Amino acid sequence: MRPTLQTVADAVGVSRSTVSNAYSRPDQLSADLRDRILTAAAGLGYAGPDPTARSLRRRRAGAIGVLFTAKLSYAFTDPYAVQFLRGLASSAEQGRTGLLLLPLSMDDEEAAVAPVNDAVVDGFCVYCLPDWHPALAALEARGLPVVAGQKRPGSQASFVGIDEAAATRAAGEHLVALGHRRLAVVGEYFTVAQSTGPVTIKSPGDVAYYTDRERLRGYQEALAEGGVPWSSVATVNVARNGRAEGAAAAAYLLDRAPRPTAIAALSDILALGVLDAVRARGLRPGHDVSVVGFDDIPDATTEGLTTVHQPAAERGRRSGLLLLDPPTDPADRSVVLPTTLVVRATSGPAPS
Amino acid sequence: MRPTLQTVADAVGVSRSTVSNAYSRPDQLSADLRDRILTAAAGLGYAGPDPTARSLRRRRAGAIGVLFTAKLSYAFTDPYAVQFLRGLASSAEQGRTGLLLLPLSMDDEEAAVAPVNDAVVDGFCVYCLPDWHPALAALEARGLPVVAGQKRPGSQASFVGIDEAAATRAAGEHLVALGHRRLAVVGEYFTVAQSTGPVTIKSPGDVAYYTDRERLRGYQEALAEGGVPWSSVATVNVARNGRAEGAAAAAYLLDRAPRPTAIAALSDILALGVLDAVRARGLRPGHDVSVVGFDDIPDATTEGLTTVHQPAAERGRRSGLLLLDPPTDPADRSVVLPTTLVVRATSGPAPS
DNA sequence: TTGAAAGCGATACCAC
DNA sequence: GTGGTATCGCTTTCAA
């Protein structure tokens, strides 16, 4: 049997408390005794207090859970997610806390909440979840600190994010100011149609995910204000947030007449795919067709993409801080980070 | 105070065991009683058995720890790592287990082992650690299942990996067969020199990391057999496994005379950087200079890089399986996956 | 300084 | 089908 505190205590001839102190509060006993205990422990093959037992007693797990929908592997593929996790990791590291990655199945109701109920963590970071996801209720029930990237009515969760709609409103105004009137918006709308292709979105409210919903709303508002009716705007859904999907969506838009003069994508990855399609047709981005993205991932700079910059790593970092010790004042539990429109080479005056 | 099993038991007027059964073994009680219990629990705001307490009792944490050196964020940036984690995640998911990411500081002796001692996990996956890292001993002491990507003498750990040296031996033979005699090898050797630039490596044994050490050894063997003395081979160290660093290393090699006719990089990321440098000088990869990588990451295909293919995701997946239930027979705890040399466009006959 | 005793919240075995 | 009892391994007052 593996040795326990008791084993060591017996071997040295002291009580458990003393052995415990030897590990957790070295200042509570003489250096000499502590040495004897540690030596005996090493001899017995005792590796130190059991983390689980310690967690139970101390009421601290030493980990924060990160909730994802879909396959966990998605988290590693999306550049925005990588940046976000990087920031989250940096504050976790600082707080001597690990990151527990928790995939949330979408199909099975049971599997969708189990990770939330079973995770040994001190808090949760909700990366991205649709409003109807059952895990949301489970989360609330566990009563642990939660931080999310969106505000949900009635939720106790902290918020660290950006004003999504304001960000795309700026982008929309930019395009309108350049004279664009025929526009299209490409996004992962998670509509009933799970495939890449045109969809009709009567109102942004129909979109399941907060992020895309708000971003779409921003565009709608800017265009409406600029005199471009929403009904004239083509919306194309992609099955996945991938570069190839962006290209496929753009292919649809570019191959029909009249071609839009500007295509807004709700993520940079999609926008880069759009650029691929534009170039593949011998069209010049920023001249024949303007393209705007969202996120400002590293490749956006390289490829000269006009996009909305958002502080991805900082979002992660601040989320971690809020989880590590949640402020008592609710006002401090909501952080809105700034975004900026970065105009590069892919947006220009509408062709006449 | 938050409700516990006892609270619910008292409210319903049954014993703790019964409430526990209601959650963990529904078949042990009448559906009716179970319903009553669950309803009462919901009313009291009881979210189900406490995961920590349950872990203690069941002796199962429901998570596996993934050990990294350096910044945790590195894990998200390296394409090979992403693939590996993807595979690991897939088997973890299947085993209803989370992934606990544990960054291992390199500087502080204390911080270097703490994560290993404190992690609430059922096993560890060692992603990449130098042989002298103190966490290795701590790992052994904890007595949990461990799987690593390299064999370490005297270690109990399972092994899932490839024959690194055989892989590069094949690559080296390929280059020799093409007539190359002036060669260079670029790698993250972790020598004393922490900067990008030429280093002298008398023998592969001097390299701190297993992976690079073995890969270097493979090249040395192939070249020696082909009549190319090791002393004639230029070795260049990079400070980080990045594309820009690969380019910088290649710059050094390409700007001096006589220029090597072939450059082998110990990772694809580096090789792509080497390609950048080659092209920047107006040289043609595969004609003027041959370039070989290692890993076969997605971009390698795109860029036509000759490289060694290794099954990254499969390594992760098999690692997960071994951790989830370790085979009793030690022979089954060692998995060597195959690698193949993929000859694409960046390698060709040595220029005369 | 050191130790005794009382939990932390749950599960598992075994009677009833 | 249900409940008693003994742990799981540790931390933490509090008194000696």
Side-chain angles (χ1 to χ4, degrees), chain B residues 244-256:
Chain B
E245 282 72 14
Y252 166 81
L253 291 165
L254 297 171
D255 294 341
R256 69 168 201 180

Side-chain angles (χ1 to χ4, degrees), chain A residues 143-178:
Chain A
L144 290 175
V146 174
V147 57
Q150 63 181 275
K151 292 187 174 157
R152 268 180 253 264
S155 162
Q156 292 291 321
S158 301
F159 169 83
V160 175
I162 58 176
D163 187 335
E164 311 272 358
T168 47
R169 212 178 299 128
E173 283 162 7
H174 169 63
L175 290 174
V176 168
L178 286 169

